[in-house]
Amino acid sequence: MTATRSSTRRAAKTTTAKKPVKSVASSGLQWEVAASTPKKTSPTKKKGVAFVIRDTSVSEAVIKKTKLAPFKGTEGRAFKGNVAMRALPPTTAYHWDAFDMVNIIRHGVPAVNVEALGATLHLDKGIVTELLGLPKSTVDKKIKDDKDLTPEQSERVLGLQRLIGQVEVIVAESGDPTGFDAGEWLARWIQKPLPALGGRKPDEFLDTVIGQQLVSKLLAQIQSGAYA
């Protein structure tokens, strides 16, 4: 990773958002996220921070008859214009199998998920786009126009979301998750040099799917007690 990117990440410490990025409001998705798992296993759920996907299982006929509504129940389904949407909590993304993920990636995820990542990680959106190797101007335009990311971009965004979900699952299975902020913890951890990476930082590997898988493996080693 270049010095420029490294210096930008260091600057993130001084630009860390104190308040969640208003990703839901800025995109016109005025919804309240409903937890899809018991509260004790979703300690980082915050009102106003929503990861969303297009719900391709809903027919156009149903959409036309349905007004804009908040997420309801465990499905977390809502409608925006002529598009059906669903909530996608990090833990859900982490537990989904390859078939589910491939289907979502092929359709593309709404660009607003990049803002939601920033809010969850307590990082500026620009830092998130840099970490994932995404063109910031393109992402900004897609957010403004309520467009989807490309499959390649979607894969990296979902990969980072799954890492947050993995941390949530680790804490839920290993201890008391009360008050634990998985996004904030992950944002700090990825900026620390690790012996397992030859002294490099995990955030240097988030711009590729293979790199994200490597980071996921290191997180699993933490849970198993292995030194990472």
Side-chain angles (χ1 to χ4, degrees):
M1 183 165 292
T2 64
T4 300
R5 294 180 66 179
S6 298
S7 61
T8 304
R9 285 197 304 277
R10 286 196 296 271
K13 295 181 179 180
T14 60
T15 59
T16 299
K18 298 300 182 181
K19 297 181 180 180
V21 178
K22 296 181 179 180
S23 57
V24 177
S26 64
S27 64
L29 307 181
Q30 306 290 344
W31 306 333
E32 179 177 341
V33 182
S36 61
T37 53
K39 185 175 182 180
K40 65 178 182 179
T41 61
S42 299
T44 62
K45 185 65 63 180
K46 296 180 178 67
K47 181 177 179 180
V49 178
F51 291 101
V52 292
I53 57 173
R54 310 290 181 184
D55 191 341
T56 57
S57 66
V58 181
S59 67
E60 292 185 8
V62 172
I63 294 175
K64 290 179 180 179
K65 295 179 181 179
T66 308
K67 297 181 179 179
L68 180 66
F71 285 127
K72 295 181 179 180
T74 58
E75 285 297 313
R77 179 175 289 158
F79 296 84
K80 182 177 184 297
N82 62 346
V83 179
M85 310 289 286
R86 282 176 56 193
L88 182 62
T91 50
T92 300
Y94 176 66
H95 284 303
W96 268 354
D97 60 27
F99 295 102
D100 291 317
M101 296 305 298
V102 167
N103 183 54
I104 293 173
I105 290 168
R106 283 175 174 170
H107 284 89
V109 300
V112 69
N113 283 293
V114 178
E115 282 191 338
L117 274 175
T120 305
L121 295 168
H122 302 273
L123 294 175
D124 182 80
K125 180 183 60 179
I127 300 298
V128 175
T129 57
E130 183 184 19
L131 291 176
L132 295 177
L134 304 177
K136 184 178 182 301
S137 59
T138 300
V139 171
D140 287 341
K141 188 176 188 306
K142 287 189 174 184
I143 291 175
K144 181 179 179 180
D145 297 338
D146 193 26
K147 299 294 184 180
D148 293 335
L149 299 171
T150 66
E152 181 183 7
Q153 294 166 346
S154 298
E155 191 168 21
R156 279 176 269 171
V157 168
L158 284 175
L160 183 50
Q161 185 179 345
R162 282 163 63 89
L163 290 176
I164 298 171
Q166 183 178 359
V167 173
E168 290 184 349
V169 170
I170 289 174
V171 174
E173 293 179 350
S174 305
D176 182 6
T178 304
F180 179 75
D181 190 324
E184 185 178 27
W185 182 91
L186 183 64
R188 292 198 308 267
W189 179 78
I190 61 176
Q191 296 183 59
K192 297 179 179 179
L194 299 180
L197 296 176
R200 299 174 69 180
K201 303 174 183 178
D203 66 2
E204 297 180 45
F205 299 86
L206 298 178
D207 58 346
T208 67
V209 174
I210 296 298
Q212 290 180 348
Q213 292 173 353
L214 174 60
V215 173
S216 176
K217 182 178 179 180
L218 294 177
L219 287 172
Q221 290 176 350
I222 292 176
Q223 184 177 24
S224 65
Y227 181 66

